[in-house]
Amino acid sequence: MSDIRVRFAPSPTGYVHIGSLRTALYDYIFAKQKGGKYILRIEDTDRTRYVDDAIENLINSLLWAGIEHDEGVFLEDGKIVQKGEYGPYIQSERLDIYKKYIEILLEKGLAYYCFCTKERLDSIREEQKKAGCLKGYDGHCRNLSEEEVKAKLDAGESYTIRLKMPEDKEIVFDDLVRGKITINSNEVDDQVLIKSDGFPTYHFAVVVDDYLMKITHVIRGEEWITSTPKHVYMFEAFGWEAPKYVHLPTVLNNEKKKLSKRHGDVAVSDFKEKGYLPEALVNYLALVGWSPESNKEFFTVEELINEFSFDRVSKTGGVFDRDKLKWVNANYIRNADVEKITELAIPYLIKDGYIKEEDVESKYEWIKALVASIKDRLSYIGEIDEKAKFLFDNEIKPENEETLEVLKGEQVPTLLDAFKEELDELDQIDEEFSKKIMKTIGKKTKIKGKQLFMPVRAALSGQLHGPDLDKIIYVLGKQNILNRIEYVKDNYLN
């Protein structure tokens, strides 16, 4: 068994972003590929931005996407539980652990108390901004004597604890995407490790947790590259071996800017609610920033596990193209069993008022036929409201001039009369009738091909293209078709 251990460690400050799902996916794929462990850890030390149901949303979103962790934070019967040898896996429950390790850095002289007020720090930042040089903290408290520190602590002054970065030291680390990266310590300010509320910052907690949880590879967004020297130095300060780092390219919108809420849906739950298939979203997302050796566009998770490599992850941002996602998702819907899509579609059909919940069981075969008739036209399940509308509105409205022209064809009255005569002999339409009726009408009227099919389709749906005609006939049923025939006669043939 491999000793590879990776972690996905989001903050519960909102719902899971598409970019975060991609990070979790790469964690999961890499761990599975190497026979290692994938851990879900919650980094909740920023209490000001904590969102109450964010952890539940996170776990549910990941499970919906099929990204299941081996260790960490789980939901059982609606309750948050933790499983694994290296817990707690929620940072706010690890404060005693951080206290122990910050004392080590203080004793070594590698961290120091900072008593600077917010006002002073804001003033420094403003001065640096005016000078056009944002250097970060100016080290004002860096060299306070033990006596000065003790006096301030005894006086009850508010403080933070900062990392004491060395001067002019080349900090080097290897990135599995970008290669060797070197940053001079003079470019890195003395990061706050413990905030004034006693909680650790991300930068301190992440190092302690990654070490204690035996994390071998840290996979995260490229926005953390500039922070990595602080983390690498802290590993060195503690005398620990740093993990390997993988900084992923940013997920961009079509304008090549960072994907954000103002550009539309970005939370995983947004796509779930619209009725995207999780396997389609995961397939597409894997390719946002990673290119396989083949030109394949469709992958199962097992195929991703076999083919994925950080060597082929781009150094530049990957574009999240919603139109391309729709295309991928539409392919998955077309190739899915109609029963599966029917089950997914039923809640939308109920919500849109097309069917009643109490009728689902008795009308299941009809509902399945309805879904089958429009399945191949769906980009996502939530579109069923728009795509199914023509099946529930007997006021036929030709979609364009060409359709109207077809409806007014000289053979149309003959066709509609022949159709009506066949319907008059029936109690209700079954699948056998719907498959044979056009051939029957053709024989009766001696009309063939497009001259036969196009007018009937236009009269029943207001469209010249779309679902198979036999499916439309079966789903509409006898009375709806009779109503549509009369409507077309009254409005387009007089």
Side-chain angles (χ1 to χ4, degrees):
M1 175 63 77
S2 169
D3 59 358
I4 295 290
R5 288 174 61 81
V6 299
R7 57 28 171 212
F8 177 52
S11 299
T13 55
Y15 288 176
V16 187
H17 185 279
I18 280 294
S20 299
L21 181 64
R22 188 191 62 175
T23 300
L25 174 63
Y26 286 1
D27 271 313
Y28 174 80
I29 290 171
F30 182 69
K32 292 297 177 188
Q33 186 183 79
K34 303 299 181 184
K37 297 287 185 185
Y38 160 54
I39 296 103
L40 177 62
R41 187 172 78 211
I42 303 298
E43 299 189 343
D44 64 338
T45 58
D46 187 349
R47 306 308 291 178
T48 60
R49 296 173 60 218
Y50 185 88
V51 174
D52 282 342
D53 63 344
I55 296 177
E56 290 85 348
N57 172 269
L58 162 72
I59 296 172
N60 286 328
S61 293
L62 292 174
L63 293 180
W64 172 77
I67 302 173
E68 298 184 17
H69 47 291
D70 302 297
E71 189 180 309
V73 182
F74 297 81
L75 270 183
E76 286 187 357
D77 299 322
K79 294 182 179 178
I80 295 169
V81 298
Q82 300 179 55
K83 297 178 182 179
E85 298 175 40
Y86 302 97
Y89 294 91
I90 298 175
Q91 284 185 338
S92 58
E93 298 178 17
R94 297 172 62 83
L95 299 186
D96 289 344
I97 296 171
Y98 305 131
K99 187 175 181 182
K100 169 186 170 184
Y101 285 97
I102 198 66
E103 289 298 333
I104 293 172
L105 291 183
L106 287 167
E107 286 170 15
K108 286 185 171 185
L110 299 175
Y112 61 93
Y113 289 95
C114 174
F115 300 93
C116 292
T117 62
K118 181 179 183 300
E119 289 72 26
R120 181 179 185 277
L121 296 174
D122 288 344
S123 173
I124 294 168
R125 197 172 294 113
E126 281 304 312
E127 286 174 18
Q128 291 178 355
K129 198 181 289 183
K130 285 176 186 173
C133 182
L134 288 170
K135 295 179 178 178
Y137 182 61
D138 64 354
H140 180 72
C141 295
R142 185 178 168 105
N143 297 309
L144 291 176
S145 67
E146 284 186 33
E147 292 76 14
E148 288 173 306
V149 170
K150 186 176 185 306
K152 288 178 179 290
L153 291 174
D154 289 345
E157 287 192 33
S158 177
Y159 65 85
T160 59
I161 299 176
R162 291 181 181 271
L163 176 66
K164 184 180 279 189
M165 288 296 293
E167 295 181 7
D168 197 26
K169 175 182 173 68
E170 296 294 330
I171 300 175
V172 182
F173 61 94
D174 286 318
D175 186 290
L176 296 190
V177 171
R178 290 165 172 76
K180 184 177 178 181
I181 295 176
T182 303
I183 298 178
N184 191 281
S185 61
N186 289 350
E187 298 175 35
V188 183
D189 71 343
D190 289 355
Q191 178 67 48
V192 172
L193 303 182
I194 302 293
K195 295 177 285 187
S196 57
D197 62 3
F199 276 79
T201 61
Y202 166 82
H203 301 282
F204 183 57
V206 75
V207 168
V208 173
D209 291 347
D210 284 346
Y211 171 72
L212 293 178
M213 294 181 187
K214 301 187 185 300
I215 301 303
T216 59
H217 294 74
V218 171
I219 302 167
R220 60 190 180 191
E222 66 182 357
E223 66 270 20
W224 295 107
I225 289 178
T226 55
S227 298
T228 302
K230 304 170 190 177
H231 304 163
V232 170
Y233 176 66
M234 265 188 280
F235 274 100
E236 184 182 316
F238 280 116
W240 301 335
E241 183 181 349
K244 297 186 187 304
Y245 288 94
V246 183
H247 289 99
L248 304 174
T250 303
V251 177
L252 306 173
N253 65 9
N254 286 336
E255 296 169 1
K256 304 290 179 73
K257 294 177 181 174
K258 188 172 181 179
L259 192 67
S260 68
K261 190 70 180 174
R262 65 180 177 275
H263 301 124
D265 299 327
V266 295
V268 175
S269 51
D270 293 333
F271 294 92
K272 179 182 177 183
E273 285 165 16
K274 282 193 168 183
Y276 281 83
L277 302 187
E279 55 270 35
L281 182 60
V282 162
N283 182 160
Y284 175 68
L285 205 50
L287 298 169
V288 178
W290 170 71
S291 57
E293 287 189 31
S294 64
N295 289 322
K296 275 178 64 172
E297 293 191 275
F298 297 99
F299 289 85
T300 64
V301 172
E302 290 71 24
E303 288 170 336
L304 287 172
I305 290 167
N306 288 331
E307 295 196 34
F308 183 79
S309 166
F310 286 120
D311 293 340
R312 298 190 65 84
V313 171
S314 172
K315 295 179 178 65
T316 57
V319 173
F320 185 79
D321 184 334
R322 286 178 174 80
D323 290 335
K324 184 65 181 290
L325 171 60
K326 284 182 183 178
W327 177 81
V328 170
N329 199 61
N331 272 273
Y332 272 85
I333 291 174
R334 277 198 299 275
N335 292 316
D337 292 336
V338 69
E339 286 83 3
K340 174 180 177 177
I341 303 304
T342 300
E343 292 299 326
L344 293 171
I346 284 171
Y348 294 91
L349 292 169
I350 293 171
K351 178 174 73 75
D352 296 329
Y354 291 137
I355 59 174
K356 294 179 180 177
E357 193 164 356
E358 57 268 27
D359 293 337
V360 168
E361 190 174 345
S362 62
K363 290 187 173 181
Y364 186 78
E365 288 304 314
W366 178 83
I367 296 169
K368 191 165 78 170
L370 184 158
V371 172
S373 73
I374 56 177
K375 180 169 82 80
D376 292 355
R377 305 180 73 203
L378 296 174
S379 296
Y380 51 91
I381 309 297
E383 273 189 331
I384 203 159
D385 175 26
E386 175 195 336
K387 304 295 185 186
K389 201 171 284 182
F390 78 94
L391 294 168
F392 294 88
D393 186 358
N394 288 331
E395 293 184 10
I396 297 301
K397 300 175 181 67
E399 64 179 349
N400 52 36
E401 286 297 321
E402 185 186 0
T403 309
L404 180 60
E405 199 70 28
V406 168
L407 264 185
K408 291 186 172 184
E410 61 180 5
Q411 83 280 33
V412 174
T414 304
L415 289 173
L416 296 185
D417 286 341
F419 202 159
K420 185 175 183 304
E421 285 173 14
E422 295 299 318
L423 287 172
D424 286 340
E425 296 179 15
L426 282 180
D427 288 330
Q428 63 180 24
I429 291 176
D430 57 20
E431 288 186 80
E432 185 181 358
F433 174 87
S434 64
K435 287 176 181 173
K436 292 180 177 179
I437 181 61
M438 293 309 296
K439 186 180 283 187
T440 303
I441 294 172
K443 281 183 180 178
K444 183 179 281 192
T445 62
K446 305 290 191 286
I447 299 170
K448 298 177 181 178
K450 285 187 176 181
Q451 296 300 308
L452 167 67
F453 287 93
M454 287 294 198
V456 174
R457 178 184 288 280
L460 297 185
S461 68
Q463 304 167 1
L464 296 182
H465 306 283
D468 292 342
L469 197 48
D470 63 316
K471 290 189 174 75
I472 294 176
I473 291 168
Y474 176 63
V475 171
L476 286 175
K478 176 179 175 178
Q479 193 55 54
N480 283 327
I481 293 176
L482 288 173
N483 291 343
R484 291 177 185 220
I485 288 173
E486 290 308 311
Y487 187 86
V488 168
K489 283 184 174 183
D490 291 344
N491 291 274
Y492 302 109
L493 301 181
N494 291 334

